[in-house]
Amino acid sequence: RDRATIVVALDVSWSMEAEDVDPNRIRAAQAAAKAFIGSLPERFNVALVTFAGTPAVNVAPTTDRGVLDRAIDALVLAPSTAVGEGIYKSLDALKLVPPDPDNPDETPPAAIVLLSDGATNVGRASAGAATSAKEAGVPVYTIAFGTQNGYVETNGRREPVPSDPVEMAQIARISGGKTFTAGSSGQLKEVYSSIAKSIGY
């Protein structure tokens, strides 16, 4: 099967400015996400969803890799982390997939690849969102990104922003996906590479 839809869901909360990953979390995540999307089969539809305090469908499912790359380059950080809402918005994005002209009634396989460096602190719980994903037959592959030593500067004070692999693991387990941790840009690229192999239908 070379037709599937992948939603790349990226955390754009302020903690992604932390520099425990070189050059910082968001830049490393942008580079790895673009490489991941470029490695997928050409006929795969890919959507881009971002979430901080609120989620957004930045790019509806498309095979146009250039549109996706430009949207990833243009990401802007915002306060709070609503992981659950990011998953719900990813499921909404899957409803926008154009039908397959050869099999218009068939629902193509889909998966969500979600990267976050923190825990939910606003919005609906991620466990409920993961349950909805499972019911829809959409596994969520989660990446807990960053290290336990990450921090951001706020008004001259260091605020620790450790990654939260526990919540990411729970989402993957409930939805039927897999969970990964990545504490460096090199590890993140390896994680995306292994996910690309496991979702190549």
Side-chain angles (χ1 to χ4, degrees):
R1 297 288 299 280
D2 69 347
R3 181 176 164 80
T5 302
I6 308 301
V7 181
V8 175
L10 294 176
D11 184 341
V12 291
S13 58
W14 279 341
S15 56
M16 290 288 283
E17 280 185 325
E19 296 178 355
D20 55 331
V21 176
D22 186 48
N24 65 15
R25 290 178 181 178
I26 187 63
R27 294 278 172 269
Q30 285 168 309
K34 285 161 65 175
F36 168 67
I37 290 168
S39 74
L40 294 171
E42 287 179 10
R43 286 187 64 198
F44 274 31
N45 283 297
V46 182
L48 176 66
V49 168
T50 58
F51 59 93
T54 55
V57 178
N58 298 58
V59 180
T62 179
T63 56
D64 187 333
R65 305 300 191 241
V67 168
L68 289 154
D69 282 355
R70 289 191 291 277
I72 289 170
D73 284 337
L75 296 181
V76 176
L77 301 183
S80 301
T81 306
V83 178
E85 298 298 340
I87 297 170
Y88 285 118
K89 187 61 76 174
S90 297
L91 293 172
D92 289 345
L94 288 171
K95 296 172 185 166
L96 306 173
V97 177
D100 181 353
D102 300 328
N103 302 285
D105 299 326
E106 185 184 65
T107 303
I112 297 167
V113 179
L114 182 145
L115 177 145
S116 178
D117 69 340
T120 299
N121 55 23
V122 291
R124 289 172 285 180
S126 59
T131 301
S132 294
K134 181 176 178 60
E135 289 167 354
V138 180
V140 184
Y141 292 80
T142 57
I143 306 167
F145 188 44
T147 68
Q148 297 305 301
N149 304 321
Y151 66 88
V152 291
E153 297 266 355
T154 309
N155 299 324
R157 283 202 325 267
R158 280 191 178 192
E159 297 219 3
V161 285
S163 69
D164 188 349
V166 175
E167 181 175 359
M168 293 297 104
Q170 180 188 45
I171 292 166
R173 187 179 68 252
I174 292 171
S175 68
K178 294 179 183 172
T179 191
F180 302 86
T181 58
S184 70
S185 54
Q187 283 182 330
L188 182 59
K189 286 177 182 150
E190 287 172 19
V191 165
Y192 271 126
S193 175
S194 61
I195 293 173
K197 292 187 183 79
S198 57
I199 59 179
Y201 290 94

